Amino acid sequence: MSEFIISVEQICKSVSDSTGTLDILQNIDFALKARETAAIVGASGSGKSTLLSIIAGLDTPTSGTVRLGTQDIFALDEDARAALRAHRVGFVFQSFQLLGNLTALENVMLPLELDGRKDARKLATEMLARVGLSQRLGSYPKVLSGGEQQRVALARAFVVKPAVLLADEPTGSLDFATGETIMALMFDLNREQGTTLVLVTHDPAIAARCDRRITIEAGRIVGNSTHANP
């Protein structure tokens, strides 16, 4: 059994068009243990979001692989990768990615229902209460503020108790104060559930709250440092 919950092994990603080949990621290599928190930082266009998509198995590398525990995710077909994500991986996006035709409660219930959980409504209700939205269960995304929508997204991500949470600029669409509140809630939930967190951020203050900081420049890791958080 691997001691690492995520192993990113020599990931390369290139795309080609009529002008030639562009190397987006080159020889990305790192591993994270259970409960570890890691920030992926770097300038726009450095390859951070592409890396996160590959870790999730939503995008495929040109070479290299990613393991969740001992499972090579790219040894699986798309359906099997989707099933693995449903059971083990949660997502939080900058743009929330809520379904507009579903209420807050229905959005959070959805991953549980897809997993066949009979207690989906109870668990989703409890998780929305945990993020402070007990009064908004029947509200649709269009009437929720940005901060409320991101709270729903956090509830949806954590309700399945994922082993891994991937977050792509989770405060990028929020004002500073709301973003601070959302990040505090994300880290609290992460500690409560013992999740391994990987987040992409431009914010050095958010990165400083993580155990590990992975810096990418032009598709290469140029820094991989750890520090103890209080």
PDB file of all heavy atoms in Angstrom, residues 147-169:
ATOM      1  N   GLY A 147     -20.810  34.258  -2.806  1.00  0.00           N
ATOM      2  CA  GLY A 147     -20.344  33.539  -1.628  1.00  0.00           C
ATOM      3  C   GLY A 147     -21.251  32.373  -1.260  1.00  0.00           C
ATOM      4  O   GLY A 147     -20.778  31.297  -0.872  1.00  0.00           O
ATOM      5  N   GLU A 148     -22.563  32.574  -1.407  1.00  0.00           N
ATOM      6  CA  GLU A 148     -23.501  31.488  -1.114  1.00  0.00           C
ATOM      7  C   GLU A 148     -23.358  30.356  -2.127  1.00  0.00           C
ATOM      8  O   GLU A 148     -23.415  29.175  -1.761  1.00  0.00           O
ATOM      9  CB  GLU A 148     -24.937  32.032  -1.113  1.00  0.00           C
ATOM     10  CG  GLU A 148     -25.250  32.881   0.108  1.00  0.00           C
ATOM     11  CD  GLU A 148     -26.613  33.553   0.016  1.00  0.00           C
ATOM     12  OE1 GLU A 148     -27.074  33.848  -1.116  1.00  0.00           O
ATOM     13  OE2 GLU A 148     -27.220  33.797   1.068  1.00  0.00           O
ATOM     14  N   GLN A 149     -23.164  30.719  -3.394  1.00  0.00           N
ATOM     15  CA  GLN A 149     -22.979  29.678  -4.410  1.00  0.00           C
ATOM     16  C   GLN A 149     -21.722  28.859  -4.125  1.00  0.00           C
ATOM     17  O   GLN A 149     -21.721  27.629  -4.275  1.00  0.00           O
ATOM     18  CB  GLN A 149     -22.895  30.305  -5.805  1.00  0.00           C
ATOM     19  CG  GLN A 149     -24.211  30.862  -6.308  1.00  0.00           C
ATOM     20  CD  GLN A 149     -24.117  31.328  -7.738  1.00  0.00           C
ATOM     21  OE1 GLN A 149     -23.852  30.542  -8.642  1.00  0.00           O
ATOM     22  NE2 GLN A 149     -24.320  32.617  -7.960  1.00  0.00           N
ATOM     23  N   GLN A 150     -20.646  29.528  -3.685  1.00  0.00           N
ATOM     24  CA  GLN A 150     -19.426  28.778  -3.397  1.00  0.00           C
ATOM     25  C   GLN A 150     -19.590  27.918  -2.145  1.00  0.00           C
ATOM     26  O   GLN A 150     -19.000  26.843  -2.045  1.00  0.00           O
ATOM     27  CB  GLN A 150     -18.231  29.727  -3.267  1.00  0.00           C
ATOM     28  CG  GLN A 150     -16.860  29.064  -3.376  1.00  0.00           C
ATOM     29  CD  GLN A 150     -16.622  28.356  -4.700  1.00  0.00           C
ATOM     30  OE1 GLN A 150     -17.333  27.399  -5.048  1.00  0.00           O
ATOM     31  NE2 GLN A 150     -15.627  28.804  -5.447  1.00  0.00           N
ATOM     32  N   ARG A 151     -20.426  28.348  -1.199  1.00  0.00           N
ATOM     33  CA  ARG A 151     -20.726  27.503  -0.043  1.00  0.00           C
ATOM     34  C   ARG A 151     -21.478  26.240  -0.480  1.00  0.00           C
ATOM     35  O   ARG A 151     -21.221  25.140   0.029  1.00  0.00           O
ATOM     36  CB  ARG A 151     -21.566  28.266   0.984  1.00  0.00           C
ATOM     37  CG  ARG A 151     -20.788  29.289   1.783  1.00  0.00           C
ATOM     38  CD  ARG A 151     -21.722  30.145   2.627  1.00  0.00           C
ATOM     39  NE  ARG A 151     -20.997  31.161   3.329  1.00  0.00           N
ATOM     40  CZ  ARG A 151     -20.547  31.053   4.570  1.00  0.00           C
ATOM     41  NH1 ARG A 151     -20.762  29.943   5.255  1.00  0.00           N
ATOM     42  NH2 ARG A 151     -19.882  32.037   5.142  1.00  0.00           N
ATOM     43  N   VAL A 152     -22.411  26.398  -1.411  1.00  0.00           N
ATOM     44  CA  VAL A 152     -23.113  25.228  -1.956  1.00  0.00           C
ATOM     45  C   VAL A 152     -22.109  24.303  -2.641  1.00  0.00           C
ATOM     46  O   VAL A 152     -22.150  23.079  -2.475  1.00  0.00           O
ATOM     47  CB  VAL A 152     -24.214  25.649  -2.948  1.00  0.00           C
ATOM     48  CG1 VAL A 152     -24.855  24.408  -3.589  1.00  0.00           C
ATOM     49  CG2 VAL A 152     -25.290  26.477  -2.247  1.00  0.00           C
ATOM     50  N   ALA A 153     -21.181  24.895  -3.412  1.00  0.00           N
ATOM     51  CA  ALA A 153     -20.171  24.095  -4.097  1.00  0.00           C
ATOM     52  C   ALA A 153     -19.283  23.348  -3.094  1.00  0.00           C
ATOM     53  O   ALA A 153     -18.926  22.186  -3.313  1.00  0.00           O
ATOM     54  CB  ALA A 153     -19.318  24.989  -4.998  1.00  0.00           C
ATOM     55  N   LEU A 154     -18.930  24.004  -1.986  1.00  0.00           N
ATOM     56  CA  LEU A 154     -18.146  23.331  -0.940  1.00  0.00           C
ATOM     57  C   LEU A 154     -18.944  22.180  -0.338  1.00  0.00           C
ATOM     58  O   LEU A 154     -18.406  21.091  -0.120  1.00  0.00           O
ATOM     59  CB  LEU A 154     -17.770  24.320   0.164  1.00  0.00           C
ATOM     60  CG  LEU A 154     -16.632  25.298  -0.122  1.00  0.00           C
ATOM     61  CD1 LEU A 154     -16.459  26.242   1.064  1.00  0.00           C
ATOM     62  CD2 LEU A 154     -15.332  24.570  -0.399  1.00  0.00           C
ATOM     63  N   ALA A 155     -20.223  22.431  -0.060  1.00  0.00           N
ATOM     64  CA  ALA A 155     -21.070  21.378   0.512  1.00  0.00           C
ATOM     65  C   ALA A 155     -21.159  20.191  -0.436  1.00  0.00           C
ATOM     66  O   ALA A 155     -21.062  19.028  -0.026  1.00  0.00           O
ATOM     67  CB  ALA A 155     -22.464  21.930   0.807  1.00  0.00           C
ATOM     68  N   ARG A 156     -21.325  20.469  -1.724  1.00  0.00           N
ATOM     69  CA  ARG A 156     -21.417  19.394  -2.724  1.00  0.00           C
ATOM     70  C   ARG A 156     -20.101  18.611  -2.788  1.00  0.00           C
ATOM     71  O   ARG A 156     -20.104  17.386  -2.930  1.00  0.00           O
ATOM     72  CB  ARG A 156     -21.732  19.998  -4.095  1.00  0.00           C
ATOM     73  CG  ARG A 156     -21.862  18.968  -5.210  1.00  0.00           C
ATOM     74  CD  ARG A 156     -22.114  19.638  -6.553  1.00  0.00           C
ATOM     75  NE  ARG A 156     -21.028  20.553  -6.899  1.00  0.00           N
ATOM     76  CZ  ARG A 156     -21.051  21.389  -7.939  1.00  0.00           C
ATOM     77  NH1 ARG A 156     -22.117  21.422  -8.733  1.00  0.00           N
ATOM     78  NH2 ARG A 156     -20.038  22.187  -8.195  1.00  0.00           N
ATOM     79  N   ALA A 157     -18.974  19.309  -2.679  1.00  0.00           N
ATOM     80  CA  ALA A 157     -17.680  18.636  -2.761  1.00  0.00           C
ATOM     81  C   ALA A 157     -17.414  17.755  -1.547  1.00  0.00           C
ATOM     82  O   ALA A 157     -16.915  16.636  -1.664  1.00  0.00           O
ATOM     83  CB  ALA A 157     -16.562  19.668  -2.910  1.00  0.00           C
ATOM     84  N   PHE A 158     -17.754  18.260  -0.365  1.00  0.00           N
ATOM     85  CA  PHE A 158     -17.409  17.553   0.869  1.00  0.00           C
ATOM     86  C   PHE A 158     -18.447  16.519   1.299  1.00  0.00           C
ATOM     87  O   PHE A 158     -18.150  15.658   2.121  1.00  0.00           O
ATOM     88  CB  PHE A 158     -17.185  18.552   2.005  1.00  0.00           C
ATOM     89  CG  PHE A 158     -15.823  19.188   2.002  1.00  0.00           C
ATOM     90  CD1 PHE A 158     -15.662  20.502   1.592  1.00  0.00           C
ATOM     91  CD2 PHE A 158     -14.708  18.482   2.404  1.00  0.00           C
ATOM     92  CE1 PHE A 158     -14.410  21.102   1.589  1.00  0.00           C
ATOM     93  CE2 PHE A 158     -13.445  19.061   2.409  1.00  0.00           C
ATOM     94  CZ  PHE A 158     -13.294  20.371   1.994  1.00  0.00           C
ATOM     95  N   VAL A 159     -19.660  16.583   0.752  1.00  0.00           N
ATOM     96  CA  VAL A 159     -20.730  15.706   1.236  1.00  0.00           C
ATOM     97  C   VAL A 159     -20.419  14.236   0.979  1.00  0.00           C
ATOM     98  O   VAL A 159     -20.884  13.354   1.708  1.00  0.00           O
ATOM     99  CB  VAL A 159     -22.091  16.116   0.630  1.00  0.00           C
ATOM    100  CG1 VAL A 159     -22.206  15.672  -0.836  1.00  0.00           C
ATOM    101  CG2 VAL A 159     -23.250  15.571   1.463  1.00  0.00           C
ATOM    102  N   VAL A 160     -19.608  13.952  -0.040  1.00  0.00           N
ATOM    103  CA  VAL A 160     -19.266  12.557  -0.346  1.00  0.00           C
ATOM    104  C   VAL A 160     -18.044  12.090   0.436  1.00  0.00           C
ATOM    105  O   VAL A 160     -17.586  10.961   0.262  1.00  0.00           O
ATOM    106  CB  VAL A 160     -19.023  12.361  -1.859  1.00  0.00           C
ATOM    107  CG1 VAL A 160     -20.290  12.627  -2.649  1.00  0.00           C
ATOM    108  CG2 VAL A 160     -17.880  13.245  -2.355  1.00  0.00           C
ATOM    109  N   LYS A 161     -17.513  12.978   1.306  1.00  0.00           N
ATOM    110  CA  LYS A 161     -16.313  12.671   2.104  1.00  0.00           C
ATOM    111  C   LYS A 161     -15.178  12.165   1.212  1.00  0.00           C
ATOM    112  O   LYS A 161     -14.671  11.047   1.377  1.00  0.00           O
ATOM    113  CB  LYS A 161     -16.628  11.670   3.214  1.00  0.00           C
ATOM    114  CG  LYS A 161     -17.670  12.175   4.200  1.00  0.00           C
ATOM    115  CD  LYS A 161     -17.759  11.290   5.428  1.00  0.00           C
ATOM    116  CE  LYS A 161     -18.847  11.763   6.383  1.00  0.00           C
ATOM    117  NZ  LYS A 161     -18.720  13.165   6.797  1.00  0.00           N
ATOM    118  N   PRO A 162     -14.728  13.008   0.269  1.00  0.00           N
ATOM    119  CA  PRO A 162     -13.707  12.568  -0.678  1.00  0.00           C
ATOM    120  C   PRO A 162     -12.346  12.395  -0.010  1.00  0.00           C
ATOM    121  O   PRO A 162     -12.022  13.087   0.965  1.00  0.00           O
ATOM    122  CB  PRO A 162     -13.657  13.715  -1.697  1.00  0.00           C
ATOM    123  CG  PRO A 162     -14.051  14.926  -0.897  1.00  0.00           C
ATOM    124  CD  PRO A 162     -15.099  14.428   0.070  1.00  0.00           C
ATOM    125  N   ALA A 163     -11.555  11.491  -0.551  1.00  0.00           N
ATOM    126  CA  ALA A 163     -10.174  11.344  -0.076  1.00  0.00           C
ATOM    127  C   ALA A 163      -9.336  12.528  -0.531  1.00  0.00           C
ATOM    128  O   ALA A 163      -8.393  12.937   0.151  1.00  0.00           O
ATOM    129  CB  ALA A 163      -9.583  10.041  -0.611  1.00  0.00           C
ATOM    130  N   VAL A 164      -9.698  13.084  -1.698  1.00  0.00           N
ATOM    131  CA  VAL A 164      -8.948  14.175  -2.314  1.00  0.00           C
ATOM    132  C   VAL A 164      -9.913  15.277  -2.713  1.00  0.00           C
ATOM    133  O   VAL A 164     -10.975  14.999  -3.284  1.00  0.00           O
ATOM    134  CB  VAL A 164      -8.188  13.672  -3.563  1.00  0.00           C
ATOM    135  CG1 VAL A 164      -7.530  14.830  -4.305  1.00  0.00           C
ATOM    136  CG2 VAL A 164      -7.166  12.611  -3.185  1.00  0.00           C
ATOM    137  N   LEU A 165      -9.550  16.530  -2.414  1.00  0.00           N
ATOM    138  CA  LEU A 165     -10.323  17.676  -2.889  1.00  0.00           C
ATOM    139  C   LEU A 165      -9.428  18.510  -3.787  1.00  0.00           C
ATOM    140  O   LEU A 165      -8.315  18.883  -3.392  1.00  0.00           O
ATOM    141  CB  LEU A 165     -10.827  18.532  -1.727  1.00  0.00           C
ATOM    142  CG  LEU A 165     -11.668  19.735  -2.191  1.00  0.00           C
ATOM    143  CD1 LEU A 165     -13.048  19.279  -2.634  1.00  0.00           C
ATOM    144  CD2 LEU A 165     -11.796  20.787  -1.113  1.00  0.00           C
ATOM    145  N   LEU A 166      -9.903  18.815  -4.986  1.00  0.00           N
ATOM    146  CA  LEU A 166      -9.189  19.655  -5.940  1.00  0.00           C
ATOM    147  C   LEU A 166      -9.943  20.968  -6.090  1.00  0.00           C
ATOM    148  O   LEU A 166     -11.145  20.965  -6.354  1.00  0.00           O
ATOM    149  CB  LEU A 166      -9.084  18.950  -7.290  1.00  0.00           C
ATOM    150  CG  LEU A 166      -8.457  17.545  -7.265  1.00  0.00           C
ATOM    151  CD1 LEU A 166      -8.513  16.920  -8.654  1.00  0.00           C
ATOM    152  CD2 LEU A 166      -7.028  17.586  -6.749  1.00  0.00           C
ATOM    153  N   ALA A 167      -9.235  22.080  -5.916  1.00  0.00           N
ATOM    154  CA  ALA A 167      -9.873  23.398  -5.970  1.00  0.00           C
ATOM    155  C   ALA A 167      -9.098  24.292  -6.931  1.00  0.00           C
ATOM    156  O   ALA A 167      -7.879  24.463  -6.786  1.00  0.00           O
ATOM    157  CB  ALA A 167      -9.916  24.025  -4.577  1.00  0.00           C
ATOM    158  N   ASP A 168      -9.799  24.853  -7.920  1.00  0.00           N
ATOM    159  CA  ASP A 168      -9.162  25.705  -8.929  1.00  0.00           C
ATOM    160  C   ASP A 168      -9.592  27.151  -8.711  1.00  0.00           C
ATOM    161  O   ASP A 168     -10.721  27.526  -9.010  1.00  0.00           O
ATOM    162  CB  ASP A 168      -9.554  25.225 -10.333  1.00  0.00           C
ATOM    163  CG  ASP A 168      -8.723  25.875 -11.423  1.00  0.00           C
ATOM    164  OD1 ASP A 168      -7.844  26.699 -11.095  1.00  0.00           O
ATOM    165  OD2 ASP A 168      -8.940  25.565 -12.604  1.00  0.00           O
ATOM    166  N   GLU A 169      -8.688  27.959  -8.151  1.00  0.00           N
ATOM    167  CA  GLU A 169      -8.964  29.378  -7.849  1.00  0.00           C
ATOM    168  C   GLU A 169     -10.324  29.542  -7.169  1.00  0.00           C
ATOM    169  O   GLU A 169     -11.207  30.256  -7.664  1.00  0.00           O
ATOM    170  CB  GLU A 169      -8.923  30.205  -9.146  1.00  0.00           C
ATOM    171  CG  GLU A 169      -7.573  30.257  -9.824  1.00  0.00           C
ATOM    172  CD  GLU A 169      -6.568  31.172  -9.134  1.00  0.00           C
ATOM    173  OE1 GLU A 169      -6.913  31.757  -8.093  1.00  0.00           O
ATOM    174  OE2 GLU A 169      -5.440  31.275  -9.623  1.00  0.00           O
TER     175      GLU A 169
END
